[in-house]
Amino acid sequence: MRGVIFDGKRVRVVTDLEVREPGPGEVRVAIAAAGLCHSDLSVMDGTIPFPVPVVLGHEGAGVVEAVGGGVTHVAPGDHVALSTLANCGTCAECDRGRPTMCRQAIGRPGRPFGHGGSPVHQFASNSAFAERTVVKAVQAVRVPDDIPLTSAALIGCGVLTGVGAVLNRARVDRGDSVLVIGTGGVGLNVLQGARLAGAGRIVAVDANPAKEEMARRFGATDFLTSAEGVRDLLPTGADHAFECVGRVELIRRAIDSLDRHGQAVLLGVPPATAEASFRVSSLYLDKSVLGCRYGSSRPQRDIALYAGLYRQGRLLLDELVTRTYPVEDFEKAAADAEAGRVARAVLTF
């Protein structure tokens, strides 16, 4: 079968990738579509260290082909969106409704794939850039058949992360002011999360002026090409600032843009050793800096919620799919995504 493998130096689209059968508590899914997220590019450029060789991809949707023992919530033929959380479901964090904090779901890459007689790692417990993948059953969430799989694919990372950061982590309230730095796939979902939450003024910042139209479509009330102008729009600062780029100078800018009792939420991924600085005295007026993993999501609940909002016309998904690419055109898709020419490049099988 086809798949996208990164060996530490280069990316190849291979045609002889193998995947094992699902075991107890697992599901094999035939991937129909997968979004190309910046985290995949960050593995390729070394920003996110990951063992190699690895099958990339972590934002996908498809059709269940087979289930292992004990799996009852999905069956062959079901349409599913995949999450990256291979959480155990039984630890204290899972029991508290915090699966993103499950230690079984962090830093334990499996190797269900084989290529050339050698095992191949799975990225983010998912590896959606393959015709078939095997995941834990908890990662497969059924979605209605009338949702295009090219759109459903995007729920599993960009929507869970961006919308979830607003609703679950920051808990933006009606009338709050929101600043979003970076309007890529995650930033656009932060914007629509803020819109769904009923935020008042929603200020989007992106150096590329061509992104204004899309940002406003997703919920921005204002658009700037530089964060230096934020105080002109929000003289006392923002209630919530989301950094979606992963640059330390923009993290500082987000913190400096906060109003009293404001909170900066960090979603962008800088290099693993990056350090950011801020003026300590600036936090004393009850300001907060919040990390956020995967939108603090509960995928079995949240994916179903977002699918429902999409069907009501309240959550935008189709608009994110700027262009689809057959998996053989991965290099073109990656180049377009890196250059910011697409909101989300979607690979199809």
Side-chain angles (χ1 to χ4, degrees):
M1 67 178 187
R2 293 168 294 169
V4 179
I5 294 179
F6 176 59
D7 65 7
K9 296 181 180 179
R10 66 189 182 104
V11 175
R12 291 179 295 152
V13 179
V14 301
T15 59
D16 54 349
L17 185 67
E18 299 174 347
V19 67
R20 62 171 172 77
E21 292 295 314
E26 294 181 332
V27 175
R28 188 176 75 227
V29 177
I31 298 295
L36 176 52
C37 176
H38 201 272
S39 293
D40 299 301
L41 302 177
S42 293
V43 173
M44 293 162 54
D45 67 19
T47 300
I48 296 178
F50 204 88
V52 293
V54 58
V55 177
L56 295 174
H58 63 286
E59 185 182 74
V63 180
V64 175
E65 275 196 341
V67 300
V71 178
T72 59
H73 74 290
V74 293
D78 286 348
H79 287 201
V80 293
L82 301 183
S83 84
T84 67
L85 287 184
N87 57 295
C88 71
T90 59
C91 69
E93 297 295 347
C94 287
D95 192 51
R96 293 183 181 121
R98 299 193 297 226
T100 57
M101 296 296 103
C102 174
R103 285 173 170 78
Q104 296 296 320
I106 302 175
R108 297 172 181 264
R111 294 193 292 181
F113 298 101
H115 183 252
S118 299
V120 180
H121 287 94
Q122 186 174 40
F123 180 52
S125 302
N126 191 307
S127 289
F129 293 169
E131 284 190 80
R132 294 173 182 83
T133 190
V134 170
V135 298
K136 290 189 67 172
V138 72
Q139 297 176 251
V141 184
R142 188 173 179 179
V143 294
D145 291 356
D146 59 359
I147 299 181
L149 288 172
T150 50
S151 296
L154 305 184
I155 300 176
C157 180
V159 175
L160 282 178
T161 299
V163 178
V166 174
L167 302 183
N168 302 327
R169 187 66 169 124
R171 298 183 183 273
V172 172
D173 202 357
R174 292 181 300 276
D176 285 355
S177 58
V178 172
L179 168 66
V180 181
I181 301 176
T183 62
V186 170
L188 288 174
N189 280 296
V190 173
L191 289 172
Q192 72 170 332
R195 171 176 52 79
L196 288 167
R201 203 156 194 180
I202 305 173
V203 180
V205 177
D206 199 292
N208 184 353
K211 293 187 176 183
E212 179 174 0
E213 180 182 356
M214 184 75 81
R216 289 186 180 274
R217 185 183 307 176
F218 274 73
T221 60
D222 301 272
F223 185 89
L224 299 170
T225 55
S226 171
E228 294 180 1
V230 170
R231 289 284 180 171
D232 294 332
L233 299 176
L234 302 172
T236 62
D239 295 315
H240 311 273
F242 296 83
E243 201 283 338
C244 305
V245 180
R247 288 169 47 187
V248 293
E249 65 271 23
L250 294 179
I251 291 173
R252 172 63 183 268
R253 181 71 69 178
I255 295 170
D256 289 348
S257 298
L258 294 176
D259 196 357
R260 298 183 179 193
H261 206 272
Q263 49 188 13
V265 183
L266 310 186
L267 297 176
V269 182
T273 58
E275 297 182 0
S277 64
F278 57 89
R279 194 174 294 112
V280 175
S281 61
S282 69
L283 297 186
Y284 288 142
L285 292 173
D286 286 0
K287 300 179 185 181
S288 306
V289 180
L290 305 179
C292 183
R293 181 171 189 246
Y294 204 43
S296 301
S297 296
R298 288 177 276 176
Q300 286 289 336
R301 180 202 69 167
D302 290 349
I303 289 177
L305 169 66
Y306 300 150
L309 291 173
Y310 166 81
R311 296 176 85 198
Q312 296 168 21
R314 299 172 60 196
L315 183 91
L316 305 181
L317 290 178
D318 302 339
E319 294 80 358
L320 284 167
V321 186
T322 310
R323 182 176 173 184
T324 61
Y325 304 76
V327 67
E328 290 81 5
D329 288 346
F330 175 80
E331 290 188 4
K332 171 62 175 171
D336 286 347
E338 185 70 45
R341 289 188 286 268
V342 292
R344 216 37 153 206
V346 176
L347 301 179
T348 58
F349 292 88

